[in-house]
């Protein structure tokens, strides 16, 4: 086995990623004109395309390709008892300390032990308060008065919406164990420390799938879902030497979990959690039975009407965190040494090597010149491709510069229209990764691109 990487050594830095994301319309700071809102980010034209495509890919992989998994879109606002039953009211806390002098706030586990012992602020050497627990759920009130009767939480995870609907889904869709419920949606956490761009934010999106199994089969299913979730990232072409498993030790294990593994990714700031695969046992459904008074047992009609509370295997990934991971993973800088085709020599290019299934723009159409009817011809070709692909059109500047712009946005295919196109209806298809070009008939374009997407393998 290859030795595990200890440090990120690629070309990306968080500064470069943040700046590219803003420059190219992936991610903007929330409420920037007011100085920004910490913990919140806005997804621009490229960002929303990328986010939607990641979500679409996950949805297809987790529902369409599995006969035993169905989808759900539960409300963000849930009955407050949900969060008592789930343990979040009591346990969803981070320990924190404040500096009395500079007013900085730290998660206790992030403060060097020496500072904690002496109660010295790691930033200004002022005095630290005692460590206290801080609940990460955002609270609000529903209705006209701000009293406890109207207390409501913004959900801190999408999972609970799945658990409280599990019986509805069995009944409406005749699901039989083992089966899964998938959901993508917003979650909110009052994170004490939000840094590293969109890695940890107060408002984010999760892609969760909860798989309901018979007790006793849980370990087998847990291992199966670990394999499948790893394969998901492989299919997206993510660098596997930048991925590893991390098993939760006894002090990390959540109150509900029997076993838990994270897939970690080597970000420019180091190894960090990307997704969790958890064996949540029968904790959640047992607690919801207790708190709601409803019988949440599964009745196994194929086995003498056996009754049991299912165990749950959870796969929980951050959508926005996956987006950051994919930008970091795709980011590359490369010296160009051939100028055969509009790519000028000795120039550096920045390229996002997204898998074409998630690239915000799949095909860019570029007329070599605006004049002599080439622009109109290019627009015509673009409108043909629009039905099948996300397209872009660019007619301004030298062709090499236009390729550079598309490379930086991660567009896998560029089509160039020139005078020959007028004569013989062929176009040049340029590949982002290799920068190779080939001439193909206009009529074959849509099918050719479809095949290229299906066969895509990342070169570097
Ligand atoms: P962390 O240890 O990073 O705080 P966690 O273990 O609390 O994460 P889970 O509750 O297991 O995370 O959430 C599942 C996934 O949701 C995480 O793997 C991550 O991808 C995403 N996620 C969790 N918290 C945040 C956040 N504040 N911002 C962005 N994504 C998040």
């Amino acid at each position: 086995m290859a030795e595990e990487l200890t440090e990120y050594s690629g070309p990306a830095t968080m500064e470069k990623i943040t700046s590219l994301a803003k420059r190219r319309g992936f991610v903007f700071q929330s409420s920037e004109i007011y100085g920004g809102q910490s913990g919140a980010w806005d997804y621009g034209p490229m960002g929303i395309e990328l986010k939607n495509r990641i979500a679409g890919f996950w949805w297809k992989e987790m529902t369409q390709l599995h006969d035993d998994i169905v989808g759900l879109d539960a409300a963000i606002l849930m009955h407050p008892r949900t969060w008592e039953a789930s343990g979040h009211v009591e346990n969803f806390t981070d320990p924190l300390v404040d500096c009395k002098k500079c007013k900085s706030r730290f998660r206790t586990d992030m403060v060097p032990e020496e500072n904690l012992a002496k109660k010295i602020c790691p930033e200004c050497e002022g005095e630290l308060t005692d460590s206290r627990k801080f609940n990460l759920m955002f609270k609000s009130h529903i209705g006209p008065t701000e009293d406890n009767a109207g207390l409501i939480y913004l959900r801190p995870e999408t999972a609970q919406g799945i658990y409280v609907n599990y019986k509805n889904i069995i009944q409406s869709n005749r699901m039989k164990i083992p089966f899964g419920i998938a959901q993508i949606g917003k979650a909110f956490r009052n994170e004490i420390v939000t840094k590293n761009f969109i890695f940890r934010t107060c408002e984010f999106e999760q892609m969760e799938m909860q798989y309901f199994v018979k007790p006793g089969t849980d370990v087998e299913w847990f291992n199966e879902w670990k394999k499948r979730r790893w394969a998901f990232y492989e299919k997206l072409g993510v660098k596997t030497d930048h991925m590893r498993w991390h098993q939760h030790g006894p002090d990390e294990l959540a109150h509900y979990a029997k076993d838990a593994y994270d897939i970690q990714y080597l970000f420019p700031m180091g190894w960090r959690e990307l997704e969790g695969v958890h064996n949540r046992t029968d904790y959640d459904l047992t607690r919801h039975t207790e708190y709601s008074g409803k019988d949440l047992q599964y009745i196994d009609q194929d086995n003498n009407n056996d009754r049991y509370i299912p165990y749950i295997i959870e796969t929980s990934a951050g959508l926005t965190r996956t987006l950051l991971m994919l930008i970091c993973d795709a980011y590359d800088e490369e010296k160009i040494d051939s100028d055969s085709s509009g790519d000028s020599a000795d120039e550096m290019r920045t390229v996002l090597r997204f898998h074409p299934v998630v690239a915000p723009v799949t095909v860019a159409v570029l007329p070599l010149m605006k004049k002599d009817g080439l622009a109109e011809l290019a627009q015509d070709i673009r409108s043909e491709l629009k039905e099948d692909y996300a397209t872009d059109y660019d007619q301004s500047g030298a062709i090499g510069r236009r390729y550079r712009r598309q490379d930086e946005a991660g567009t896998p295919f560029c089509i160039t229209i020139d005078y020959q196109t007028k004569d013989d209806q062929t176009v040049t298809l340029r590949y982002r990764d290799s920068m190779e070009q080939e001439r193909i008939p206009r009529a074959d374009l849509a099918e050719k691109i479809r095949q290229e997407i299906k066969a895509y393998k990342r070169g570097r």
Side-chain angles (χ1 to χ4, degrees):
M1 218 173 84
E3 213 163 289
E4 187 175 285
L5 296 173
T6 48
E7 260 179 40
Y8 178 86
S9 61
T13 62
M14 289 313 284
E15 291 71 33
K16 285 184 195 171
I17 297 289
T18 311
S19 137
L20 185 150
K22 179 172 182 191
R23 191 167 70 243
R24 299 312 312 264
F26 284 92
V27 183
F28 307 122
Q29 199 181 13
S30 160
S31 333
E32 194 186 67
I33 61 167
Y34 289 104
Q37 173 56 50
S38 74
W41 297 85
D42 298 339
Y43 292 79
M46 297 301 260
I48 178 63
E49 292 294 338
L50 178 58
K51 186 145 72 80
N52 281 347
R53 267 190 255 298
I54 299 167
F57 182 78
W58 184 90
W59 195 256
K60 179 177 171 191
E61 288 291 316
M62 298 300 277
T63 65
Q64 194 176 320
L65 298 183
H66 296 279
D67 301 341
D68 55 354
I69 304 180
V70 289
L72 175 75
D73 184 21
I76 289 172
L77 303 180
M78 299 183 69
H79 195 289
R81 291 278 283 168
T82 310
W83 306 110
E84 289 172 31
S86 68
H88 281 80
V89 170
E90 198 184 338
N91 295 315
F92 197 53
T93 54
D94 272 348
L96 68 82
V97 287
D98 288 308
C99 172
K100 292 182 183 169
K101 190 171 155 202
C102 70
K103 309 288 176 212
S104 292
R105 177 163 283 182
F106 308 94
R107 254 169 66 175
T108 309
D109 52 352
M110 301 288 183
V111 179
E113 260 173 41
E114 211 180 300
N115 292 62
L116 268 187
K118 293 184 182 158
K119 289 193 164 184
I120 295 174
C121 172
E123 274 178 15
C124 77
E125 304 207 326
E127 191 192 344
L128 292 177
T129 61
D130 287 334
S131 176
R132 62 199 158 90
K133 280 188 172 179
F134 168 77
N135 195 297
L136 276 86
M137 280 198 293
F138 278 104
K139 278 188 200 161
S140 189
H141 295 90
I142 202 156
T145 53
E146 294 200 357
D147 57 24
N148 269 350
L151 179 66
I152 195 107
Y153 298 100
L154 297 185
R155 69 179 177 200
E157 62 176 26
T158 54
Q160 300 301 325
I162 295 181
Y163 306 146
V164 300
N165 276 296
Y166 128 93
K167 271 258 146 138
N168 281 338
I169 288 180
I170 288 184
Q171 279 150 15
S172 65
N173 294 64
R174 294 182 292 130
M175 302 307 287
K176 287 189 174 170
I177 278 184
F179 77 94
I181 304 174
Q183 175 165 230
I184 299 177
K186 290 243 171 175
F188 302 84
R189 295 182 186 179
N190 199 352
E191 300 279 4
I192 302 161
V193 182
T194 55
K195 58 178 185 189
N196 289 322
F197 191 31
I198 56 171
F199 177 80
R200 184 184 305 286
T201 51
C202 292
E203 177 177 346
F204 58 101
E205 274 172 80
Q206 289 187 312
M207 307 185 285
E208 294 197 311
M209 194 284 300
Q210 311 291 328
Y211 201 72
F212 298 81
V213 305
K214 189 170 179 173
T217 64
D218 52 306
V219 172
E220 196 185 313
W221 277 112
F222 180 68
N223 290 331
E224 177 61 25
W225 276 108
K226 273 181 61 196
K227 264 194 251 154
R228 291 181 185 177
R229 292 307 304 154
W230 186 273
F232 170 89
Y233 295 104
E234 281 181 331
K235 198 165 173 183
L236 267 180
V238 175
K239 293 177 187 148
T240 44
D241 60 346
H242 281 52
M243 282 165 52
R244 72 176 184 193
W245 285 108
H246 165 74
Q247 185 177 19
H248 287 205
D251 52 333
E252 286 171 277
L253 217 50
H255 57 275
Y256 50 75
K258 170 170 158 187
D259 199 0
Y261 277 79
D262 294 336
I263 296 179
Q264 295 187 335
Y265 180 81
L266 184 54
F267 287 90
M269 66 276 189
W271 287 102
R272 295 283 191 285
E273 174 177 339
L274 179 63
E275 156 158 8
V277 181
H278 309 132
N279 182 345
R280 297 183 71 128
T281 68
D282 57 0
Y283 175 84
D284 302 278
L285 292 179
T286 304
R287 293 277 289 195
H288 285 303
T289 304
E290 222 174 277
Y291 279 71
S292 68
K294 298 283 184 305
D295 182 2
L296 298 179
Q297 290 182 99
Y298 176 73
I299 304 168
D300 191 347
Q301 290 168 341
D302 299 334
N303 276 307
N304 309 318
N305 288 337
D306 269 5
R307 288 165 177 263
Y308 58 84
I309 297 271
Y311 268 43
I312 294 172
I313 308 302
E314 163 180 78
T315 73
S316 177
L319 170 54
T320 41
R321 195 173 284 182
T322 303
L323 184 144
L324 175 63
M325 178 277 284
L326 286 179
I327 298 183
C328 295
D329 197 68
Y331 187 93
D332 201 4
E333 289 168 357
E334 187 179 28
K335 192 161 174 238
I336 301 164
D337 49 26
S338 120
D339 72 341
S340 55
S341 50
D343 286 314
S344 35
D346 289 335
E347 203 190 308
M348 287 297 287
R349 71 165 184 158
T350 300
V351 52
L352 292 182
R353 299 183 191 278
F354 288 135
H355 192 293
V357 293
V358 295
V361 173
T362 316
V363 195
V365 181
L366 319 170
L368 199 62
M369 306 276 178
K370 284 182 245 181
K371 56 185 188 185
D372 301 327
L374 292 187
E376 290 76 10
L377 186 54
Q379 286 286 13
D380 195 41
I381 292 175
R382 182 194 187 187
S383 56
E384 254 169 35
L385 292 169
K386 265 186 193 170
E387 281 288 339
D388 297 313
Y389 303 108
T391 61
D392 189 15
Y393 175 83
D394 188 0
Q395 61 175 27
S396 51
I399 193 73
R401 289 179 73 101
R402 283 185 267 164
Y403 287 150
R404 283 304 78 72
R405 282 201 286 267
Q406 296 299 334
D407 289 343
E408 202 187 43
T411 307
F413 309 106
C414 285
I415 290 163
T416 315
I417 281 79
D418 56 17
Y419 288 102
Q420 193 183 331
T421 314
K422 282 174 79 174
D423 293 340
D424 65 4
Q425 296 293 313
T426 61
V427 298
T428 305
L429 176 61
R430 173 193 183 264
Y431 298 92
R432 174 199 65 204
D433 289 0
S434 62
M435 292 187 289
E436 273 164 20
Q437 308 197 359
E438 66 176 314
R439 193 106 208 155
I440 65 163
R442 166 186 179 172
D444 297 348
L445 262 180
E447 180 54 24
K448 171 76 177 159
I449 291 168
R450 200 184 67 77
Q451 284 169 6
E452 289 293 333
I453 295 175
K454 239 185 147 107
Y456 180 80
K457 285 266 173 307
R458 179 164 162 176
R460 51 180 270 182

